[in-house]
Amino acid sequence: MDICKMLTISTAHIKQETAAILDKSYSGPIPGWLYAIGLYDKDEYGWFIMDWDYRSVNTFPADLLECIKVAEKHGCTWLCLDCDGEVLSSIPTYDWNE
């Protein structure tokens, strides 16, 4: 039996530019760091991310890397970025309305 832990946090923890790159990955391959993660869309609500390998790629956005490191710290193999997810005080947030 394989049971995985998932950290669900707010999409406010990534920049709008990072979100655009995550969205773009569904319309075709994007070179660089997106090949180092498993990415699944949550429609307009966010993304499920797994199988990250940021150690082999030096171009991961710092905002996404912060989120992944928090997930790892808590023993999670999945990260869910959700528009209604919890906002953590321990990592930066970004205002998408600016």
Side-chain angles (χ1 to χ4, degrees), residues 14-88:
I14 61 170
K15 295 177 182 177
Q16 197 166 7
E17 297 82 18
T18 302
I21 293 170
L22 293 174
D23 280 340
K24 215 186 242 187
S25 72
Y26 295 102
S27 60
I30 303 237
W33 60 271
L34 281 177
Y35 292 119
I37 64 174
L39 180 65
Y40 304 92
D41 190 26
K42 290 186 69 185
D43 294 320
E44 72 246 23
Y45 304 107
W47 305 269
F48 293 110
I49 301 170
M50 66 171 289
D51 291 334
W52 47 76
D53 185 15
Y54 62 85
R55 291 169 185 89
S56 69
V57 180
N58 63 2
T59 57
F60 259 72
D63 54 339
L64 182 59
L65 188 55
E66 281 282 334
C67 298
I68 288 172
K69 287 184 176 182
V70 170
E72 283 185 339
K73 177 182 169 188
H74 292 284
C76 298
T77 55
W78 282 82
L79 171 63
C80 174
L81 295 170
D82 188 284
C83 62
D84 293 323
E86 183 176 350
V87 175
L88 305 179

